Amino acid sequence: EIVMTQSPATLSVSPGERATLSCRASQSVSSNLAWYQQKPGQAPRLLIYGASTRATGIPARFSGSGSGTEFTLTISSLQSEDFAVYYCQQYNNQYTFGQGTKLEIK
Amino acid sequence: EVQLVESGGGLVQPGGSLRLSCAASGFTVSSNYMSWVRQAPGKGLEWVSVIYSGGSTYYADSVKGRFTISRHNSKNTLYLQMNSLRAEDTAVYYCARLVAAAGTKSGAFDIWGQGTMVTVSS
């Protein structure tokens, strides 16, 4: 099983600043990597797939990068609605998710 | 509007069974790859099962032999039959549509339902 490890577990950032979230795979997943946002009591929402392609309706302030085993989700200028938990997910070999990064207001 | 609505969750005793349903609207379940993903209370996401448009099915090792994914084409509905339930199966269960990369059978989950809670406890 491919293990996905996200860091940090919690990230405190002020509104308007940039947030950088990391995701590492235990073996190469090529570009078969997605990012999701989940708010309390809600289902996850797809943000990024193919490591760097924004899903429909996702604002341009969200960007993804990386390939192989190292990936990054960047939110360029944090809005109040961006504070949530973020998960990465690989789909190169079945499907596994990272444990999540909680993005909180500083 | 593209939408998924789950139902069928509840409280069940260990060793019991439950069937979850996921009604789709705005797209055809049988023409898409569909999955179940679960989330234990306060925990992360865990993929459970997938059914491809051709009918083939796959399961996570944690549920293999106990859970069965299926669909009813005329009802445009996805199901998850869960047998021999254990305390560790307690979770919110989401159905989700899988959008596969071109030429592959894998991809990200682009449409999610609101989830249905399953509690396994005596």
Side-chain angles (χ1 to χ4, degrees):
Chain A
E1 174 183 307
I2 299 176
V3 177
M4 307 301 292
T5 302
Q6 292 185 240
S7 61
T10 303
L11 181 62
S12 299
V13 183
S14 300
E17 293 190 340
R18 174 187 296 256
T20 302
L21 289 68
S22 297
C23 176
R24 173 177 292 179
S26 60
Q27 64 189 78
S28 177
V29 298
S30 187
S31 294
N32 297 314
L33 191 286
W35 289 94
Y36 300 85
Q37 176 193 69
Q38 187 178 34
K39 297 180 179 178
Q42 297 185 16
R45 177 174 72 141
L46 176 65
L47 299 174
I48 301 285
Y49 62 93
S52 61
T53 303
R54 278 189 302 277
T56 303
I58 301 304
R61 64 180 182 273
F62 291 91
S63 64
S65 63
S67 67
T69 62
E70 300 285 343
F71 300 88
T72 300
L73 174 70
T74 301
I75 311 170
S76 59
S77 178
L78 280 164
Q79 307 297 304
S80 58
E81 62 266 29
D82 299 335
F83 292 95
V85 179
Y86 291 82
Y87 294 96
C88 63
Q89 174 232 336
Q90 68 82 20
Y91 48 91
N92 193 65
N93 185 343
Q94 290 209 334
Y95 309 93
T96 49
F97 293 86
Q99 81 281 13
T101 289
K102 181 180 181 180
L103 181 57
E104 64 177 26
I105 301 174
K106 187 174 182 180
Chain B
E1 181 189 6
V2 173
Q3 187 173 270
L4 294 167
V5 178
E6 300 96 336
S7 61
L11 174 64
V12 61
Q13 292 188 339
S17 298
L18 210 56
R19 188 179 81 156
L20 306 182
S21 300
C22 171
S25 55
F27 71 98
T28 302
V29 165
S30 60
S31 300
N32 284 270
Y33 302 162
M34 300 295 298
S35 260
W36 289 94
V37 177
R38 68 185 181 183
Q39 185 170 35
K43 302 297 185 182
L45 301 164
E46 180 189 17
W47 171 76
V48 172
S49 181
V50 64
I51 183 167
Y52 294 117
S53 52
S56 54
T57 59
Y58 296 88
Y59 301 90
D61 288 343
S62 57
V63 306
K64 199 173 296 182
R66 301 187 298 123
F67 289 12
T68 302
I69 190 172
S70 64
R71 66 190 181 211
H72 194 299
N73 294 349
S74 64
K75 293 184 177 180
N76 207 30
T77 298
L78 179 73
Y79 300 101
L80 185 68
Q81 176 67 43
M82 304 184 296
N83 299 330
S84 303
L85 282 161
R86 307 166 180 167
E88 54 264 35
D89 296 318
T90 295
V92 174
Y93 284 73
Y94 297 100
C95 63
R97 186 178 73 174
L98 195 162
V99 54
T104 76
K105 279 193 167 183
S106 65
F109 302 108
D110 68 333
I111 305 296
W112 296 67
Q114 85 289 351
T116 187
M117 182 71 202
V118 172
T119 303
V120 184
S121 175
S122 54

